[in-house]
Amino acid sequence: VQLQASGGGLVQAGGSLRLSCVASGMLFDVGAMGWYRQAPGKERELVAAITGSGNTVYADSVKGRFTISGYGSSNTQRTLYLQMNSLKPEDTAVYYCHAMTPPNRDYWGQGTQVTVSS
């Protein structure tokens, strides 16, 4: 499984960005897919995740502002999105696309920088 994230950038507080993640390879047994972020000096944290059945989970700090979508059904290529609205300076971080296959193997994209200025 290969993950390629894009869409990061510099935006003012209150603005919006949409991140994209193209997943390719053998995707038939991919379970949940999602986005994590890591700010300087902090641990990587879950932002949002989605399953094949459409169930989603969000970090409390982004609920109501971020929306995860995509996932898809192809076994060879999918695109995952993260729509981020009402961005805050504390959303500044490197955002990573993530996928998991059984039993618990993790795949990570290369990360895309999101910087929110106040």
Side-chain angles (χ1 to χ4, degrees), residues 6-108:
S6 62
L10 173 64
V11 64
Q12 289 188 331
S16 299
L17 282 174
R18 188 175 81 157
L19 305 183
S20 299
C21 174
V22 176
S24 60
M26 301 293 287
L27 306 179
F28 63 92
D29 61 347
V30 166
M33 297 182 67
W35 293 92
Y36 285 70
R37 68 185 180 187
Q38 188 166 18
K42 295 187 177 182
E43 293 188 355
R44 192 172 295 188
E45 62 175 359
L46 174 68
V47 176
I50 186 168
T51 67
S53 58
N55 293 324
T56 58
V57 61
Y58 294 92
D60 287 342
S61 60
V62 307
K63 284 180 180 177
R65 300 189 297 121
F66 290 12
T67 302
I68 189 170
S69 64
Y71 195 90
S73 59
S74 169
N75 286 330
T76 57
Q77 183 164 308
R78 301 174 188 173
T79 303
L80 188 71
Y81 301 100
L82 184 68
Q83 178 67 42
M84 305 185 295
N85 299 327
S86 302
L87 282 161
K88 304 176 180 180
E90 50 264 44
D91 295 318
T92 294
V94 177
Y95 284 69
Y96 297 91
C97 183
H98 171 263
M100 180 176 285
T101 59
N104 284 301
R105 182 169 181 177
D106 294 301
Y107 296 88
W108 297 95

